[in-house]
Amino acid sequence: MTTPWSPRHDIRRPIASRVAAPREPVDHARIGQRVVRRRAKGMDAAAVARALEEARFDARQDSRHEHLADDTRGRAELAEWERIDQMLTDAAPGTVYDPDADDVVQTELAAEAAAAAREAELREAARIAARADDLQALRELGTLKQAEPREGDEAVRDELARRAGGYIPVDVDA
């Protein structure tokens, strides 16, 4: 009997494609803060006060259970409800919570964007250094003329020139 697909042992995939990319660790406190902010959006001071009382009740209940003693998300949620409650208490009557107008939220978003930009720059610098290492190895083997040019090789060429003290060998310049 034949199957409509090829047998599993015929499939040859490189191992790297099956390996998951490393993930950043989960920050339960940030998750808790974001959940509270989503729930609080559009709430007035009275609704936030009721939600704060519910969060305090949940914290008291959690304190009775040993496995919830180090619950960072619960503590972060309670702290965020308290912060939002204080913010709306100090605001004009009838004000509703809007994360887009919250200075703390906007500061956190700006910091996250700056960190993401720095990480992207670091990844690009690592990619350039790795490609420069590859081209340097090919040059040492005498096979650089056989290398396929890639997008972004101008930056790699500059990196090789920097490593050589400003001197650009003829095979790299080609």
Side-chain angles (χ1 to χ4, degrees):
M1 174 175 208
T2 61
T3 59
W5 60 87
S6 62
R8 182 160 175 82
H9 60 79
D10 284 347
I11 299 173
R12 303 278 186 220
R13 287 183 284 171
I15 293 175
S17 68
R18 292 180 278 166
V19 177
R23 296 182 178 183
E24 69 179 53
V26 175
D27 186 358
H28 297 285
R30 287 182 59 193
I31 292 171
Q33 290 171 340
R34 289 178 178 173
V35 166
V36 168
R37 291 169 185 164
R38 275 195 306 270
R39 278 191 56 207
K41 186 174 184 175
M43 286 184 170
D44 62 354
V48 169
R50 285 191 301 273
L52 175 59
E53 285 306 312
E54 285 180 25
R56 287 180 177 154
F57 176 78
D58 290 341
R60 283 191 304 273
Q61 293 298 319
D62 290 349
S63 70
R64 296 182 178 135
H65 300 281
E66 189 174 312
H67 69 283
L68 296 174
D70 60 346
D71 179 29
T72 57
R73 179 176 170 172
R75 286 193 303 270
E77 285 183 10
L78 178 60
E80 190 66 12
W81 280 118
E82 289 172 345
R83 187 188 70 79
I84 293 171
D85 181 58
Q86 184 63 43
M87 187 176 76
L88 290 179
T89 301
D90 295 343
T95 304
V96 296
Y97 178 72
D98 182 15
D100 296 333
D102 190 347
D103 292 335
V104 172
V105 174
Q106 296 309 312
T107 302
E108 287 177 6
L109 289 175
E112 288 174 11
R118 279 192 307 273
E119 189 170 326
E121 288 174 6
L122 290 174
R123 276 195 310 272
E124 180 64 14
R127 185 197 66 77
I128 289 171
R131 177 69 173 156
D133 291 341
D134 291 344
L135 290 179
Q136 183 70 31
L138 289 173
R139 190 165 139 253
E140 290 169 2
L141 292 172
T143 58
L144 186 58
K145 291 180 183 177
Q146 298 173 4
E148 288 284 326
R150 295 183 190 166
E151 183 179 332
D153 272 354
E154 297 82 20
V156 174
R157 181 183 171 274
D158 294 341
E159 172 66 16
L160 287 171
R162 186 191 64 76
R163 289 180 184 180
Y167 170 72
I168 303 172
V170 177
D171 54 355
V172 173
D173 199 27

